Amino acid sequence: MPKKTPFTKLLIANRGEIAVRVMRSAKAMGYHTVAVHSTADAAARHVLAADESICIGDPLPADSYLRIDAILEAARRCGADAIHPGYGFLAENEDFARACNDAGLVFVGPSAQAILAMGHKAGAKRLMMEAGVPCIPGYQGENQDEQHLMSEAVRVGFPLMIKATAGGGGRGMRLVGQASEFLDLLRSAKSEARGAFGNDEVLLERAIREPRHIEIQIMADRYGDVVHLGERDCSVQRRHQKVIEEAPSPAVGPELRARMGAAAVQAAKTIAYEGAGTLEFLLDREGQFYFMEMNTRLQVEHPVTEAITGLDLVALQLRVASGEPLGLTQEQVRFQGHAIEVRLCAEDVAAGFMPQSGHMGLWQPSCALRVEHGLNRSSDIPPFYDSMVAKLIAHGETRDEARRRLLHGLADTVALGVVTNQAFLSRCLRHPVFAAGAATTAFIGQHQDALIAAPTDDAHEALALAAALLHAESGNAIRHSFSTPLRLKMGTDTTSVLLVNEAGHGCIVRIGDREFALQLLEVGEHDARVVCNGVARRAAFHRDGAAIALHYLGQPWRIEDLTREAIVRHSQSGGDGKLRASMNGRVLSLAVAVGDAVTAGNPMVVLEAMKMEHVHAAPATGRVSALHVSVGDQVGAHRVIAEIEATA
């Protein structure tokens, strides 16, 4: 009989919302909690939420959250006797699990052997094939020679997927449409995998067109008991990273759920698994499912499973880790209603989902939703970590009720100062394909134009309100009827606006042939009550120099006042021959040197931001006249990193 391993003080080897989430359940169960943090996270919410905290290094993950020695030393210094890895960083690192056990610490997760068996995608796939679980045809061998992989790719057939064997989260993953693209995408995938996981091994899989991404949550104890907690549908993705998750899946009925659940339970039993884990499958149009991978940890999307089962998965993890039996049979697992989660990310959707960092000047999450986050009311978003800043979850008796609640709560959430995907999430939830439960992994790609475009009428009304607020704050809101011309920039568009004060009646704002009658009834530090064309609404705002960030009409807007600037300005996109950083990041590699000839579109600099690689291409044809960065440099958004001189 396995022995129990009780503990009293839990160190959470992670940051952000998952660290806060783990602490909540741990404290409710009476455990003392310890946070670790980098120097960039010294004032982060997870640090303030813990009973104790310890700094473990510099901002880059390799210097802090990925340092096994620093985390174990922190546990020793504070007297922690257990470690919860959260997800990401070291959560699926068998060396970390083994080191915790060797140090006499309880690791809240599976054994190092189980992590090794299932955390390595190629090995896990071979194991599942031996166990009879359906797998996608491909290559998962050890020979990583480029030419050998090329020949295997031809054998598998195109289109195919290249996947890093050591990790997840979309990193080290590339879709290859044809043979001519293979080698370049292979090198890119390997480079990203090497940077993210320290391992550039990949496997190849035939691409299944427009599947659903279905995962099964399992929970197991050390006594051989395993249950599944139903499925989650994670089909709405961009860049192979999940955006929206829900439970149950609109495409899975009781019979399919039972078959997929049985396969997941059998997989866990095969490796004597302990703790929370997730089996991920692709479901094709014919209803056939194929094993992709197992995540040997808690998932980002675990709240939707908690919502429909009424179970606290973190509490179950802690009980199992302390040696308690699961105490739950498959027959006792009950499902109630429907839950949907969206991931709020700091990213510029219109710029290809480019990660963003900076200062979140105003954060006010909805009180009507379950919101998991690691933000204070005002927080810095560092460029060193994942772009997800919060998760918003709604539960309802039906799927459409959950969707409506999530839409309303999302519209009520204020996140101003850093560009996020908030409006994009709302448009995804409203889209008729998603509303009908018909979204596949191709959903965003197929409907991207509709999902990114903002309604013109709403944008004009937001511009009008921005004009009124900017004018009022400038001290020019005197009671006369003179016209005040303004030039306001929203996104890439600059618009001429005419504002006319009306004594005692607010102002009239004219934009093209549109006219908005505005009254500012109440204006506080960050909020206002306004009347626009007879309709009263609340608005939130945050001033950032010459710009104002608004939360209005259920979504964020950023408007820059260019009225006092010269009309002719160099293009941020490089029309002046300057290559600018599109985000805060670290210089990973340089593809050119001073004096090299380049053609517009040629790769020049690769930046790493929020654990993803971003290639910066030449904005013009000519010769490289200057390089202002070196490999390893940390650069800010919009900084000039290279210059190109036109050649005759």
Side-chain angles (χ1 to χ4, degrees):
M1 176 72 68
K3 66 177 182 179
K4 291 189 176 182
T5 48
F7 52 89
T8 58
K9 182 181 281 193
L10 180 70
L11 183 149
I12 297 90
N14 219 295
R15 66 179 300 277
E17 59 88 15
I18 184 54
V20 176
R21 164 69 189 96
V22 172
M23 287 175 198
R24 186 170 69 244
S25 288
K27 287 185 175 185
M29 297 174 71
Y31 293 112
H32 198 82
T33 59
V34 181
V36 293
H37 64 90
S38 70
T39 53
D41 278 340
R45 184 167 177 251
H46 79 279
V47 175
L48 303 179
D51 297 310
E52 301 175 16
S53 63
I54 297 176
C55 182
I56 54 171
D58 292 333
L60 288 176
D63 298 328
S64 51
Y65 296 106
L66 291 174
R67 284 188 58 195
I68 295 176
D69 60 335
I71 293 170
L72 295 183
E73 174 60 18
R76 186 195 66 77
R77 286 170 57 192
C78 70
D81 48 2
I83 290 183
H84 193 302
Y87 40 67
F89 296 128
L90 294 169
E92 294 180 283
N93 186 305
E94 67 272 12
D95 292 333
F96 183 49
R98 187 177 297 108
C100 289
N101 292 328
D102 290 346
L105 300 166
V106 174
F107 180 76
V108 182
S111 67
Q113 293 78 12
I115 294 175
L116 180 61
M118 298 303 281
H120 186 276
K121 289 185 176 66
K125 188 173 177 181
R126 289 192 290 266
L127 197 61
M128 291 299 97
M129 291 172 71
E130 292 171 4
V133 177
C135 293
I136 304 170
Y139 171 75
Q140 50 278 338
E142 296 179 0
N143 189 338
Q144 294 289 298
D145 176 77
E146 280 191 356
Q147 292 307 314
H148 181 74
L149 289 172
M150 181 74 210
S151 64
E152 288 294 330
V154 172
R155 179 187 62 81
V156 172
F158 297 94
L160 61 76
M161 296 297 303
I162 301 171
K163 292 184 179 181
T165 63
R171 287 172 285 279
M173 185 181 295
R174 299 290 187 274
L175 174 63
V176 186
Q178 53 193 6
S180 60
E181 304 172 338
F182 181 78
L183 288 178
D184 284 344
L185 291 173
L186 173 67
R187 291 162 187 156
S188 174
K190 279 181 166 285
S191 173
E192 192 169 85
R194 189 163 49 248
F197 315 117
N199 183 340
D200 69 355
E201 183 180 337
V202 298
L203 59 80
L204 310 177
E205 287 183 343
R206 181 178 301 160
I208 297 178
R209 289 296 194 184
E210 300 183 23
R212 286 186 183 258
H213 184 132
I214 308 294
E215 60 188 31
I216 302 289
Q217 175 74 60
I218 62 101
M219 187 68 69
D221 63 22
R222 64 186 59 175
Y223 308 103
D225 295 318
V226 186
V227 297
H228 75 82
L229 306 179
E231 83 283 354
R232 296 184 288 256
D233 195 315
C234 309
S235 299
V236 180
Q237 304 177 5
R238 53 72 178 132
R239 291 196 313 229
H240 309 298
Q241 292 183 305
K242 300 164 188 173
V243 176
I244 302 176
E245 301 101 347
E246 60 183 307
S249 167
V252 176
E255 187 273 334
L256 180 56
R257 179 176 301 118
R259 285 195 291 121
M260 297 182 77
V265 167
Q266 182 56 42
K269 288 184 174 181
T270 298
I271 57 171
Y273 194 84
E274 177 183 335
T278 304
L279 278 292
E280 301 204 353
F281 300 93
L282 290 182
L283 180 67
D284 68 18
R285 295 173 178 176
E286 287 70 45
Q288 298 297 315
F289 63 91
Y290 303 92
F291 171 81
M292 283 199 301
E293 63 189 41
M294 182 177 189
N295 291 307
T296 53
R297 53 169 168 80
L298 200 65
Q299 292 280 87
V300 174
E301 55 273 19
H302 75 273
V304 295
T305 296
E306 292 183 323
I308 66 167
T309 61
L311 299 170
D312 183 330
L313 268 62
V314 174
L316 282 173
Q317 282 187 299
L318 296 174
R319 291 193 178 99
V320 166
S322 70
E324 293 184 26
L326 192 56
L328 182 70
T329 66
Q330 193 63 58
E331 291 71 28
Q332 291 173 317
V333 177
R334 294 285 185 268
F335 305 112
Q336 178 64 42
H338 201 100
I340 308 176
E341 170 184 293
V342 293
R343 301 189 187 193
L344 185 69
C345 296
E347 60 187 17
D348 187 343
V349 174
F353 301 95
M354 191 71 69
Q356 304 292 298
S357 56
H359 185 64
M360 185 73 80
L362 186 59
W363 167 247
Q364 296 173 345
S366 170
C367 296
L369 301 176
R370 173 177 172 177
V371 182
E372 301 286 356
H373 67 95
L375 302 175
N376 301 313
R377 178 178 168 86
S378 175
S379 290
D380 288 328
I381 309 297
F384 315 105
Y385 314 117
D386 191 87
S387 64
M388 189 183 75
V389 296
K391 305 180 309 198
L392 290 75
I393 306 101
H395 181 236
E397 286 300 311
T398 66
R399 182 177 186 271
D400 204 52
E401 182 179 302
R403 187 181 67 89
R404 290 197 311 271
R405 287 180 173 176
L406 187 51
L407 269 167
H408 187 270
L410 186 58
D412 197 40
T413 293
V414 177
L416 297 177
V418 176
V419 176
T420 73
N421 64 342
Q422 184 175 3
F424 173 78
L425 294 173
S426 292
R427 288 192 279 270
C428 285
L429 293 171
R430 285 194 179 93
H431 196 281
V433 171
F434 181 84
T440 70
T441 56
F443 170 71
I444 290 178
Q446 290 175 340
H447 305 287
Q448 187 160 305
D449 290 346
L451 297 174
I452 291 176
T456 302
D457 289 348
D458 287 358
H460 282 168
E461 188 168 334
L463 272 175
L465 176 56
L469 287 169
L470 289 165
H471 191 62
E473 288 193 8
S474 71
N476 293 326
I478 55 178
R479 297 178 181 275
H480 60 60
S481 58
F482 295 156
S483 299
T484 302
L486 302 170
R487 284 195 310 119
L488 304 180
K489 182 180 180 183
M490 178 185 287
T492 58
D493 298 328
T494 300
T495 303
S496 295
V497 174
L498 194 65
L499 184 146
V500 181
N501 282 309
E502 293 197 324
H505 300 285
C507 63
I508 298 294
V509 180
R510 296 190 177 97
I511 303 173
D513 60 357
R514 298 292 309 278
E515 189 172 280
F516 300 90
L518 279 160
Q519 289 179 285
L520 303 179
L521 300 183
E522 304 167 17
V523 180
E525 182 183 3
H526 286 295
D527 66 296
R529 184 166 179 264
V530 304
V531 177
C532 181
N533 292 342
V535 180
R537 295 185 177 94
R538 302 295 306 188
F541 62 91
H542 171 69
R543 285 300 303 267
D544 181 12
I548 184 168
L550 283 178
H551 184 88
Y552 185 61
L553 299 173
Q555 71 176 81
W557 313 86
R558 180 178 172 83
I559 296 97
E560 189 177 355
D561 186 2
L562 304 183
T563 305
R564 291 177 174 82
E565 294 193 21
I567 292 178
V568 178
R569 305 200 320 162
H570 285 310
S571 168
Q572 290 291 317
S573 64
D576 53 0
K578 292 181 171 64
L579 177 65
R580 293 171 170 84
S582 56
M583 82 292 284
N584 295 337
R586 183 172 67 93
V587 179
L588 197 63
S589 65
L590 299 173
V592 296
V594 173
D596 286 355
V598 294
T599 301
N602 285 169
M604 290 185 66
V605 181
V606 178
L607 292 187
E608 182 182 48
M610 294 180 168
K611 302 194 288 187
M612 299 289 285
E613 291 186 12
H614 304 273
V615 177
H616 285 56
T621 297
R623 193 169 300 280
V624 180
S625 59
L627 277 173
H628 300 297
V629 295
S630 301
V631 173
D633 286 355
Q634 192 71 35
V635 300
H638 310 306
R639 173 181 163 184
V640 176
I641 55 179
E643 296 183 50
I644 298 171
E645 185 178 273
T647 54

